[in-house]
Amino acid sequence: MEVAVKSSLTSIHAPISVREAPFTKPKLLSFQFHPRPNSSISRMLKKTPSNSKLFPTMSSPVPSSVSTESMEKPEAELEAASQEEKFDWYAQWYPVMPVCDLDKRVPHAKTVMGLDLVVWWDRNESEWKVFDDSCPHRLAPLSEGRIDQWGRLQCVYHGWCFNGSGNCKFIPQAPPAGPPVHTSMKACVAVYPSTVHHDIVWFWPNTDPQYRDIITKKQPPFIPELDDPSFTKHIGNRDFPYGYDVLIENLLDPAHLPYAHYGLVNAPKPQVKSDREGGGPIDLSVKKLDSQGFFENQDHFGDTNFIAPCISYASSSPGDAPEKGSMQKRMAFVFICIPVSPGRSRVIWIFPRNFGLWIDKVVPRWIFHLKYNLVFDSDLYLLHMQERKFMDVGPANWQKACFVPTKSDALLVGYRRWFNKYSGGQVDWKGKYCGALPPTSPREQLFDRYWSHVVNCRSCNAAYKGLNALEVILQVASLAFIGVAAATKQNANTMVVMAVVCFAGSRWLARFISKNFHYHDYNHAFR
């Protein structure tokens, strides 16, 4: 557990084998996890028109004694992509949810790419299905329905039933002797192509029948560690009150780790420590950027890959050959970032490793999630407010709003270059949204863990219910001990002590539940 928790969100860099990806596979490098981040911060600039150069840009005057040429500059340019190069957001596979967090007994509502989906288990075909979350009758959400006794998805508004192909099989209001109106094409539900890949349900965001067999032509990205049975796999999911692009950018930024996540993730101790946190220079550079993403290669820390549009992937490399009879320890960090809607995103994280496998057998999954959620909380508000500042200056002026003079920012600069060049600096919502962000909520709602994680995680949800039940049991036990002491007057002191212990335990448990499953505020000033 300690190994997994300590390295939970530390940025590392390593190779990947991707189906249909344009990357060349880089060589395997030494096994190190913690590059030393730089302590420079971004500054806001006044609004100025964008030019053909994306970076570097100076946000404040540079002293004449400092040569701008001597500053470390992450390489990037903003180039106009041809029509052929434009990234097609609707010709990609998108993850919906990990299978382990889906309940086969009920339909699940999810939003991806602004599309309202219902995910349900078709026991007749033994497959997960992804439908448009709208009944063709009166547009009621099918995700509020149920699975009937014949394994069909039933709309609970008027009882219409649908099979795994989206065909309507039963309309209660239609007379049995009348015309078979349920066979009309207008009675069908739109069905998205779907598949289970790496224990995650994926869908193709187009219901046109020509894409019914798209899985035979194009598959979701392949990550070798997730297909290797010798690796154990920590997996989880969480929703965030900030956009997909901000989420990706943050995950490609190793320099923030010892600062935003101070005390939560491991950082190496530098030889010369300039501050308490121990930040330092990181020599990063982007290689082979095209419409499908990019990778970064380093002699010291391995490689990082951005696989457009969703995946930030890094893995430790084997390094030197292990001694005879020993196993080379390997670990990976996989973040699958899902565009939900403007100002909303979701991440599925997976941390496969081939050592310490016994830990997952003895430690419940929700225990790991307590630490991971705390790490996510520690920069949540920063990213939420950062996104609003980006919107104030305009997405196209990102390069004018941020001062990124060092190579430690090369990966996020590379991502912004990709985002601007191939997607015009925005997700293609197909006109569904006006582009405005949702209003900022109170901190209690921004940091809410119950609706953003607990209800969507079977392990944490079960723990939440169990701990709440235990709290009630302790309260009842406290009253029972007091009652016994008053009734029998024998061993009264012992009964009173037991009552106090149970009551104190129930109060501590209530605070633990509230802090870890509902709301945990985060104040960096006291870290």
Side-chain angles (χ1 to χ4, degrees), residues 10-29 221-225 244 247-254 284-298 301-317 330-337 350 410-412 414-415 418:
T10 306
S11 181
I12 59 173
H13 318 281
I16 182 172
S17 171
V18 184
R19 293 175 184 168
E20 301 185 311
F23 313 127
T24 57
K25 186 174 181 179
K27 64 180 181 179
L28 300 177
L29 302 173
F222 175 75
I223 298 174
E225 288 87 348
Y244 143 89
L247 173 60
I248 286 275
E249 179 184 300
N250 183 59
L251 294 172
L252 292 172
D253 174 23
L284 302 175
S285 61
V286 170
K287 311 293 183 183
K288 194 174 176 57
L289 186 148
D290 58 26
S291 62
Q292 299 305 304
F294 59 81
F295 72 87
E296 178 274 336
N297 172 257
Q298 270 214 93
F301 304 116
D303 305 319
T304 293
N305 293 266
F306 165 61
I307 308 171
C310 294
I311 298 178
S312 169
Y313 165 83
S315 173
S316 65
S317 52
R330 297 197 61 188
M331 187 171 185
F333 298 110
V334 182
F335 296 97
I336 308 178
C337 306
I350 314 171
L411 297 185
L412 63 96
Y415 168 71
W418 176 89

Coordinates of all heavy atoms in Angstrom, one line a residue, residues 10-29 221-225 244 247-254 284-298 301-317 330-337 350 410-412 414-415 418:
T10 N 2.7 10.8 -9.0 CA 4.0 11.3 -9.4 C 4.2 11.2 -10.9 O 4.0 10.1 -11.4 CB 5.1 10.7 -8.6 OG1 4.8 10.7 -7.2 CG2 6.4 11.3 -8.9
S11 N 4.5 12.2 -11.6 CA 4.7 12.1 -13.0 C 5.9 11.4 -13.4 O 7.0 11.7 -12.9 CB 4.7 13.5 -13.6 OG 4.8 13.5 -15.0
I12 N 5.8 10.3 -14.2 CA 7.0 9.6 -14.7 C 6.9 9.5 -16.2 O 5.9 10.0 -16.8 CB 7.0 8.2 -14.1 CG1 5.7 7.5 -14.4 CG2 7.3 8.3 -12.6 CD1 5.8 6.0 -14.0
H13 N 7.8 9.0 -16.9 CA 7.9 9.0 -18.3 C 8.4 7.7 -18.8 O 9.4 7.2 -18.4 CB 8.9 10.1 -18.7 CG 8.7 11.4 -17.9 ND1 7.7 12.3 -18.1 CD2 9.4 11.8 -16.8 CE1 7.8 13.2 -17.3 NE2 8.8 13.0 -16.5
A14 N 7.6 7.1 -19.8 CA 8.0 5.8 -20.3 C 7.3 5.5 -21.6 O 6.4 6.2 -22.0 CB 7.7 4.7 -19.3
P15 N 7.8 4.4 -22.3 CA 7.3 4.1 -23.6 C 6.0 3.5 -23.6 O 5.5 3.0 -22.6 CB 8.4 3.1 -24.1 CG 8.9 2.5 -22.9 CD 8.9 3.5 -21.8
I16 N 5.3 3.4 -24.8 CA 4.0 2.8 -25.0 C 3.9 2.2 -26.3 O 4.5 2.6 -27.3 CB 2.9 3.9 -24.9 CG1 1.5 3.3 -25.0 CG2 3.1 5.0 -25.9 CD1 0.4 4.2 -24.7
S17 N 3.2 1.1 -26.4 CA 2.9 0.5 -27.7 C 1.4 0.8 -27.9 O 0.5 0.4 -27.2 CB 3.1 -1.0 -27.6 OG 2.6 -1.7 -28.7
V18 N 1.1 1.5 -29.0 CA -0.2 2.0 -29.3 C -0.7 1.4 -30.6 O 0.0 1.6 -31.6 CB -0.3 3.5 -29.3 CG1 -1.7 3.9 -29.5 CG2 0.3 4.1 -28.0
R19 N -1.9 0.8 -30.6 CA -2.5 0.4 -31.9 C -2.9 1.6 -32.7 O -3.6 2.5 -32.2 CB -3.7 -0.5 -31.6 CG -3.3 -1.8 -31.0 CD -4.5 -2.6 -30.6 NE -4.2 -3.8 -29.9 CZ -5.1 -4.6 -29.3 NH1 -6.3 -4.3 -29.3 NH2 -4.7 -5.7 -28.7
E20 N -2.5 1.6 -33.9 CA -2.8 2.6 -34.8 C -2.3 4.0 -34.4 O -2.8 5.0 -34.8 CB -4.3 2.7 -35.1 CG -4.9 1.4 -35.6 CD -6.4 1.6 -35.9 OE1 -7.1 2.1 -35.0 OE2 -6.8 1.1 -37.0
A21 N -1.3 4.0 -33.5 CA -0.7 5.3 -33.2 C 0.5 5.6 -34.0 O 1.2 4.7 -34.4 CB -0.3 5.3 -31.7
P22 N 0.8 6.8 -34.3 CA 1.9 7.1 -35.2 C 3.3 7.2 -34.6 O 4.2 7.5 -35.3 CB 1.5 8.6 -35.7 CG 0.8 9.2 -34.6 CD 0.1 8.0 -33.9
F23 N 3.4 6.9 -33.3 CA 4.6 7.0 -32.6 C 5.6 5.9 -33.0 O 5.2 4.7 -33.2 CB 4.5 7.0 -31.1 CG 3.4 7.9 -30.6 CD1 2.4 7.5 -29.8 CD2 3.3 9.3 -31.1 CE1 1.4 8.3 -29.4 CE2 2.3 10.1 -30.6 CZ 1.3 9.6 -29.8
T24 N 6.9 6.2 -33.0 CA 7.9 5.1 -33.0 C 8.2 4.8 -31.6 O 8.3 5.7 -30.7 CB 9.1 5.6 -33.7 OG1 9.6 6.8 -33.1 CG2 8.8 5.9 -35.2
K25 N 8.4 3.5 -31.3 CA 8.6 3.1 -29.9 C 10.0 3.5 -29.4 O 11.0 3.0 -30.0 CB 8.4 1.6 -29.8 CG 8.5 1.1 -28.4 CD 8.2 -0.3 -28.3 CE 8.2 -0.8 -26.8 NZ 7.9 -2.3 -26.7
P26 N 10.1 4.4 -28.4 CA 11.4 4.8 -27.9 C 12.0 3.7 -27.1 O 11.4 2.8 -26.6 CB 11.1 6.0 -27.1 CG 9.7 5.8 -26.6 CD 9.0 5.0 -27.7
K27 N 13.3 3.8 -26.9 CA 14.0 2.8 -26.2 C 13.6 2.9 -24.7 O 13.2 3.9 -24.2 CB 15.5 3.0 -26.3 CG 16.0 4.4 -25.7 CD 17.5 4.5 -25.9 CE 18.0 5.8 -25.3 NZ 19.4 6.0 -25.5
L28 N 13.8 1.7 -24.0 CA 13.5 1.7 -22.6 C 14.6 2.3 -21.8 O 15.8 2.1 -22.1 CB 13.3 0.2 -22.2 CG 12.2 -0.5 -22.9 CD1 12.2 -2.0 -22.5 CD2 10.9 0.1 -22.7
L29 N 14.2 3.0 -20.8 CA 15.2 3.8 -20.0 C 15.2 3.4 -18.6 O 14.4 2.5 -18.1 CB 14.9 5.3 -20.2 CG 14.9 5.8 -21.7 CD1 14.4 7.2 -21.7 CD2 16.3 5.6 -22.3
P221 N -7.0 2.7 -27.8 CA -5.6 2.6 -27.6 C -5.2 1.5 -26.7 O -5.9 1.2 -25.7 CB -5.2 4.0 -26.9 CG -6.3 4.9 -27.3 CD -7.6 4.1 -27.4
F222 N -4.1 0.8 -27.1 CA -3.7 -0.4 -26.3 C -2.5 0.0 -25.4 O -1.5 0.6 -25.9 CB -3.2 -1.5 -27.3 CG -2.6 -2.7 -26.7 CD1 -3.4 -3.6 -26.0 CD2 -1.2 -2.9 -26.7 CE1 -2.8 -4.7 -25.4 CE2 -0.6 -4.0 -26.1 CZ -1.4 -4.9 -25.5
I223 N -2.6 -0.4 -24.2 CA -1.5 -0.1 -23.2 C -1.0 -1.5 -22.7 O -1.8 -2.2 -22.0 CB -2.0 0.8 -22.1 CG1 -2.4 2.1 -22.7 CG2 -0.9 1.0 -21.0 CD1 -3.1 3.1 -21.7
P224 N 0.2 -1.9 -22.9 CA 0.7 -3.2 -22.6 C 0.5 -3.6 -21.2 O 0.1 -4.8 -20.9 CB 2.1 -3.2 -23.1 CG 2.5 -1.8 -23.2 CD 1.3 -1.0 -23.6
E225 N 0.8 -2.7 -20.2 CA 0.7 -3.1 -18.8 C -0.7 -3.5 -18.4 O -0.9 -4.3 -17.5 CB 1.2 -2.0 -17.9 CG 2.7 -1.8 -17.9 CD 3.1 -0.8 -19.1 OE1 2.3 -0.5 -19.9 OE2 4.3 -0.4 -19.0
Y244 N -11.7 19.4 -19.5 CA -10.8 18.4 -20.0 C -9.4 18.9 -20.3 O -8.4 18.3 -20.0 CB -11.4 17.7 -21.2 CG -10.5 17.3 -22.3 CD1 -9.9 16.0 -22.3 CD2 -10.2 18.2 -23.3 CE1 -9.0 15.7 -23.3 CE2 -9.3 17.8 -24.3 CZ -8.7 16.5 -24.3 OH -7.8 16.2 -25.3
L247 N -7.4 19.6 -17.2 CA -7.1 18.3 -16.6 C -5.9 17.7 -17.3 O -4.9 17.3 -16.6 CB -8.3 17.3 -16.7 CG -8.0 15.9 -16.2 CD1 -7.6 15.9 -14.8 CD2 -9.3 15.1 -16.4
I248 N -5.9 17.6 -18.6 CA -4.7 17.0 -19.4 C -3.5 17.8 -19.1 O -2.4 17.3 -18.8 CB -5.1 17.0 -20.9 CG1 -6.1 15.9 -21.2 CG2 -3.8 16.8 -21.7 CD1 -5.5 14.6 -21.4
E249 N -3.6 19.1 -19.2 CA -2.4 20.0 -19.0 C -1.8 19.8 -17.6 O -0.6 19.7 -17.5 CB -2.9 21.5 -19.2 CG -1.8 22.5 -19.0 CD -2.3 23.9 -19.1 OE1 -2.9 24.3 -20.1 OE2 -2.2 24.6 -18.1
N250 N -2.6 19.7 -16.6 CA -2.1 19.5 -15.3 C -1.4 18.2 -15.1 O -0.4 18.1 -14.5 CB -3.3 19.6 -14.3 CG -2.9 19.4 -12.8 OD1 -2.1 20.3 -12.4 ND2 -3.4 18.4 -12.1
L251 N -1.9 17.1 -15.7 CA -1.3 15.8 -15.6 C 0.0 15.7 -16.4 O 0.8 14.8 -16.1 CB -2.3 14.7 -16.1 CG -3.5 14.5 -15.3 CD1 -4.5 13.6 -16.0 CD2 -3.2 14.0 -13.9
L252 N 0.2 16.6 -17.3 CA 1.5 16.7 -18.1 C 2.5 17.6 -17.5 O 3.5 18.0 -18.1 CB 1.2 17.0 -19.6 CG 0.4 16.0 -20.4 CD1 0.0 16.6 -21.7 CD2 1.2 14.7 -20.6
D253 N 2.2 18.1 -16.3 CA 3.1 19.1 -15.6 C 3.7 18.5 -14.4 O 3.1 18.6 -13.3 CB 2.2 20.3 -15.3 CG 2.9 21.4 -14.5 OD1 4.2 21.4 -14.6 OD2 2.3 22.2 -13.8
P254 N 4.9 18.0 -14.5 CA 5.6 17.4 -13.3 C 6.1 18.5 -12.3 O 6.3 18.2 -11.1 CB 6.7 16.6 -13.8 CG 7.0 17.3 -15.1 CD 5.7 17.8 -15.7
L284 N 12.8 18.8 -20.2 CA 11.8 18.1 -21.0 C 11.7 18.7 -22.4 O 12.0 19.8 -22.6 CB 10.4 18.3 -20.4 CG 10.2 17.8 -18.9 CD1 8.8 18.2 -18.4 CD2 10.4 16.3 -18.8
S285 N 11.4 17.8 -23.3 CA 11.2 18.2 -24.7 C 10.2 17.3 -25.4 O 10.2 16.1 -25.1 CB 12.5 18.2 -25.5 OG 13.1 17.0 -25.5
V286 N 9.4 17.9 -26.3 CA 8.4 17.1 -27.0 C 9.0 16.5 -28.3 O 9.7 17.2 -29.0 CB 7.2 18.0 -27.3 CG1 6.2 17.3 -28.2 CG2 6.5 18.4 -26.0
K287 N 8.6 15.3 -28.6 CA 9.1 14.6 -29.8 C 7.9 14.2 -30.6 O 6.9 13.8 -30.1 CB 9.9 13.4 -29.5 CG 11.0 13.6 -28.4 CD 12.1 14.5 -28.9 CE 13.2 14.6 -27.9 NZ 14.3 15.5 -28.3
K288 N 8.0 14.4 -31.9 CA 7.1 13.8 -32.9 C 5.6 14.2 -32.6 O 4.8 13.3 -32.3 CB 7.2 12.3 -33.0 CG 6.5 11.7 -34.3 CD 6.8 10.3 -34.4 CE 6.0 9.7 -35.6 NZ 6.3 10.3 -36.9
L289 N 5.3 15.5 -32.6 CA 3.9 15.9 -32.4 C 3.2 15.9 -33.7 O 3.6 16.4 -34.7 CB 3.9 17.3 -31.8 CG 2.6 17.9 -31.4 CD1 2.8 18.8 -30.2 CD2 1.9 18.7 -32.5
D290 N 2.0 15.2 -33.7 CA 1.1 15.2 -34.9 C -0.3 15.2 -34.4 O -0.6 15.3 -33.2 CB 1.5 14.1 -35.9 CG 1.4 12.7 -35.2 OD1 0.6 12.6 -34.2 OD2 2.1 11.8 -35.7
S291 N -1.3 14.9 -35.3 CA -2.7 15.0 -34.9 C -3.1 13.9 -33.9 O -4.1 14.0 -33.2 CB -3.5 14.9 -36.1 OG -3.3 13.6 -36.8
Q292 N -2.3 12.8 -33.8 CA -2.6 11.8 -32.9 C -1.9 11.9 -31.5 O -2.1 11.1 -30.6 CB -2.2 10.4 -33.5 CG -2.9 10.1 -34.8 CD -4.4 10.1 -34.6 OE1 -4.9 9.5 -33.8 NE2 -5.1 11.0 -35.5
G293 N -1.2 13.0 -31.3 CA -0.5 13.2 -30.0 C 0.9 13.5 -30.1 O 1.5 13.9 -31.1
F294 N 1.7 13.1 -29.0 CA 3.1 13.3 -29.0 C 3.7 12.4 -27.9 O 3.0 11.9 -27.1 CB 3.5 14.8 -28.8 CG 3.0 15.4 -27.5 CD1 3.6 15.2 -26.3 CD2 1.8 16.1 -27.5 CE1 3.2 15.8 -25.2 CE2 1.3 16.7 -26.4 CZ 2.0 16.5 -25.2
F295 N 5.0 12.3 -27.9 CA 5.7 11.7 -26.8 C 6.9 12.5 -26.4 O 7.4 13.3 -27.2 CB 6.1 10.2 -27.1 CG 7.2 10.0 -28.0 CD1 8.5 10.1 -27.6 CD2 7.0 9.8 -29.4 CE1 9.6 9.9 -28.5 CE2 8.0 9.6 -30.3 CZ 9.3 9.7 -29.8
E296 N 7.4 12.3 -25.2 CA 8.5 13.0 -24.7 C 9.6 12.0 -24.2 O 9.2 11.1 -23.6 CB 8.1 13.9 -23.5 CG 9.3 14.7 -22.9 CD 9.9 13.9 -21.8 OE1 9.3 13.0 -21.2 OE2 11.1 14.1 -21.5
N297 N 10.8 12.2 -24.6 CA 11.9 11.3 -24.3 C 12.9 12.0 -23.4 O 13.3 13.1 -23.7 CB 12.5 10.7 -25.6 CG 13.7 9.9 -25.3 OD1 14.8 10.4 -25.5 ND2 13.5 8.7 -24.8
Q298 N 13.3 11.3 -22.4 CA 14.4 11.8 -21.5 C 15.4 10.7 -21.1 O 15.0 9.6 -20.9 CB 13.8 12.4 -20.2 CG 13.4 13.8 -20.3 CD 13.6 14.5 -19.0 OE1 14.7 15.1 -18.7 NE2 12.6 14.4 -18.1
F301 N 14.6 10.2 -17.1 CA 13.3 9.9 -16.4 C 12.4 9.0 -17.3 O 11.3 8.7 -16.9 CB 12.6 11.2 -16.1 CG 13.4 12.1 -15.2 CD1 13.8 13.4 -15.7 CD2 13.8 11.7 -13.9 CE1 14.5 14.2 -14.8 CE2 14.5 12.6 -13.1 CZ 14.9 13.8 -13.6
G302 N 12.8 8.6 -18.5 CA 12.0 7.8 -19.3 C 11.1 8.6 -20.3 O 11.5 9.7 -20.7
D303 N 10.0 8.1 -20.6 CA 9.1 8.8 -21.6 C 7.7 9.0 -21.1 O 7.2 8.2 -20.3 CB 9.1 7.9 -22.9 CG 10.4 7.6 -23.4 OD1 11.3 8.5 -23.4 OD2 10.6 6.4 -23.9
T304 N 7.1 10.0 -21.7 CA 5.7 10.3 -21.4 C 5.0 10.4 -22.8 O 5.5 10.9 -23.7 CB 5.5 11.6 -20.7 OG1 6.0 11.5 -19.4 CG2 4.0 12.0 -20.5
N305 N 3.7 9.9 -22.8 CA 3.0 9.9 -24.0 C 1.6 10.6 -23.8 O 0.9 10.3 -22.8 CB 2.7 8.5 -24.5 CG 4.0 7.8 -25.0 OD1 4.3 7.8 -26.2 ND2 4.7 7.2 -24.1
F306 N 1.2 11.4 -24.8 CA -0.1 11.9 -24.8 C -0.7 11.3 -26.1 O -0.3 11.5 -27.2 CB -0.2 13.5 -25.0 CG -1.5 14.0 -25.4 CD1 -2.6 13.8 -24.6 CD2 -1.6 14.7 -26.6 CE1 -3.9 14.2 -25.0 CE2 -2.9 15.2 -27.0 CZ -4.0 15.0 -26.2
I307 N -1.7 10.5 -25.9 CA -2.4 9.8 -27.0 C -3.8 10.5 -27.2 O -4.7 10.4 -26.3 CB -2.6 8.3 -26.7 CG1 -1.3 7.6 -26.3 CG2 -3.2 7.6 -27.9 CD1 -1.5 6.2 -25.8
A308 N -3.9 11.3 -28.2 CA -5.1 12.1 -28.4 C -6.3 11.2 -28.6 O -6.3 10.2 -29.2 CB -4.9 12.9 -29.7
P309 N -7.5 11.7 -28.0 CA -7.6 12.9 -27.2 C -7.5 12.7 -25.7 O -7.6 13.7 -25.0 CB -8.9 13.4 -27.6 CG -9.7 12.1 -27.8 CD -8.8 11.1 -28.3
C310 N -7.5 11.5 -25.2 CA -7.8 11.2 -23.8 C -6.7 10.8 -22.9 O -6.8 11.0 -21.7 CB -8.9 10.1 -23.7 SG -10.5 10.6 -24.4
I311 N -5.6 10.2 -23.4 CA -4.7 9.4 -22.5 C -3.4 10.1 -22.3 O -2.7 10.5 -23.2 CB -4.5 8.0 -23.1 CG1 -5.8 7.3 -23.2 CG2 -3.5 7.3 -22.3 CD1 -5.6 5.9 -23.9
S312 N -3.1 10.2 -21.0 CA -1.7 10.6 -20.5 C -1.1 9.3 -19.9 O -1.7 8.8 -18.9 CB -1.8 11.7 -19.5 OG -0.5 11.9 -18.9
Y313 N 0.0 8.9 -20.5 CA 0.5 7.5 -20.1 C 2.0 7.6 -19.8 O 2.7 8.2 -20.6 CB 0.2 6.5 -21.2 CG 1.0 5.2 -21.1 CD1 0.6 4.2 -20.3 CD2 2.2 5.1 -21.8 CE1 1.3 3.0 -20.2 CE2 2.9 3.9 -21.7 CZ 2.5 2.9 -20.9 OH 3.2 1.7 -20.8
A314 N 2.4 7.1 -18.7 CA 3.8 7.0 -18.4 C 4.1 5.7 -17.7 O 3.3 5.2 -16.9 CB 4.2 8.2 -17.5
S315 N 5.3 5.2 -17.9 CA 5.7 3.9 -17.3 C 7.1 3.8 -17.0 O 8.0 4.4 -17.8 CB 5.3 2.7 -18.3 OG 5.8 1.5 -17.8
S316 N 7.5 3.2 -15.9 CA 8.9 3.0 -15.6 C 9.4 2.0 -16.6 O 8.7 1.2 -17.1 CB 9.0 2.4 -14.2 OG 8.4 1.1 -14.2
S317 N 10.7 2.2 -16.9 CA 11.3 1.3 -17.9 C 12.2 0.3 -17.2 O 12.6 0.5 -16.1 CB 12.2 2.1 -18.9 OG 13.0 3.0 -18.2
R330 N 8.3 -3.0 -12.3 CA 7.8 -2.0 -13.3 C 6.5 -1.5 -12.8 O 5.7 -2.2 -12.1 CB 7.7 -2.6 -14.7 CG 9.0 -3.1 -15.3 CD 8.8 -3.3 -16.8 NE 8.5 -2.0 -17.4 CZ 8.1 -1.9 -18.7 NH1 8.1 -3.0 -19.5 NH2 7.8 -0.8 -19.2
M331 N 6.2 -0.2 -13.1 CA 5.0 0.4 -12.7 C 4.6 1.4 -13.8 O 5.5 1.9 -14.5 CB 5.2 1.1 -11.4 CG 4.0 1.7 -10.8 SD 4.3 2.3 -9.1 CE 2.6 2.8 -8.6
A332 N 3.3 1.7 -13.9 CA 2.9 2.7 -14.9 C 1.8 3.6 -14.3 O 1.1 3.2 -13.3 CB 2.3 2.0 -16.1
F333 N 1.6 4.8 -14.8 CA 0.5 5.7 -14.5 C -0.3 6.0 -15.7 O 0.3 6.6 -16.7 CB 1.1 7.0 -13.8 CG 1.9 6.7 -12.6 CD1 3.3 6.9 -12.6 CD2 1.2 6.3 -11.4 CE1 4.0 6.7 -11.4 CE2 1.9 6.1 -10.3 CZ 3.3 6.3 -10.2
V334 N -1.5 5.6 -15.7 CA -2.4 5.8 -16.9 C -3.5 6.7 -16.4 O -4.3 6.3 -15.5 CB -2.9 4.5 -17.4 CG1 -3.8 4.7 -18.6 CG2 -1.7 3.5 -17.8
F335 N -3.7 7.8 -17.0 CA -4.8 8.7 -16.8 C -5.6 8.9 -18.1 O -5.1 9.3 -19.1 CB -4.3 10.1 -16.3 CG -3.6 10.1 -15.0 CD1 -2.2 10.1 -15.0 CD2 -4.3 10.1 -13.8 CE1 -1.5 10.0 -13.8 CE2 -3.6 10.1 -12.6 CZ -2.2 10.0 -12.6
I336 N -6.9 8.5 -18.0 CA -7.7 8.6 -19.2 C -8.7 9.7 -18.9 O -9.6 9.6 -18.0 CB -8.5 7.3 -19.4 CG1 -7.5 6.1 -19.5 CG2 -9.3 7.4 -20.7 CD1 -8.1 4.7 -19.7
C337 N -8.5 10.8 -19.6 CA -9.3 12.1 -19.3 C -10.4 12.2 -20.3 O -10.3 12.2 -21.5 CB -8.3 13.2 -19.5 SG -6.8 13.1 -18.4
I350 N -5.5 4.5 -13.6 CA -5.1 3.1 -13.5 C -3.6 3.1 -13.2 O -2.8 3.7 -13.9 CB -5.3 2.3 -14.7 CG1 -6.7 2.5 -15.3 CG2 -5.1 0.8 -14.4 CD1 -7.0 1.9 -16.6
A410 N 7.5 22.0 -21.0 CA 7.5 21.6 -22.3 C 6.3 20.7 -22.7 O 5.8 20.8 -23.8 CB 8.8 20.9 -22.7
L411 N 5.9 19.8 -21.8 CA 4.9 18.9 -22.1 C 3.5 19.6 -22.2 O 2.7 19.4 -23.1 CB 4.8 17.8 -21.1 CG 6.0 16.9 -20.9 CD1 5.7 15.7 -20.0 CD2 6.4 16.3 -22.3
L412 N 3.2 20.5 -21.2 CA 2.0 21.2 -21.3 C 1.9 22.2 -22.5 O 0.9 22.4 -23.1 CB 1.6 21.9 -20.0 CG 2.6 23.0 -19.5 CD1 2.0 24.4 -19.9 CD2 2.7 22.9 -18.0
G414 N 3.5 21.5 -25.3 CA 3.3 20.6 -26.4 C 1.8 20.3 -26.5 O 1.3 20.3 -27.6
Y415 N 1.1 20.1 -25.4 CA -0.3 19.8 -25.4 C -1.1 21.0 -26.0 O -2.0 20.9 -26.8 CB -0.8 19.4 -24.1 CG -2.4 19.4 -24.0 CD1 -3.1 18.4 -24.7 CD2 -3.1 20.4 -23.4 CE1 -4.5 18.4 -24.8 CE2 -4.5 20.5 -23.5 CZ -5.1 19.4 -24.1 OH -6.5 19.5 -24.2
W418 N -0.7 21.2 -29.6 CA -1.6 20.2 -30.3 C -3.0 20.7 -30.3 O -3.7 20.6 -31.3 CB -1.5 18.8 -29.5 CG -2.4 17.8 -30.1 CD1 -2.2 17.0 -31.1 CD2 -3.8 17.6 -29.7 NE1 -3.4 16.2 -31.4 CE2 -4.3 16.6 -30.5 CE3 -4.6 18.1 -28.7 CZ2 -5.6 16.1 -30.3 CZ3 -5.9 17.7 -28.5 CH2 -6.4 16.7 -29.4

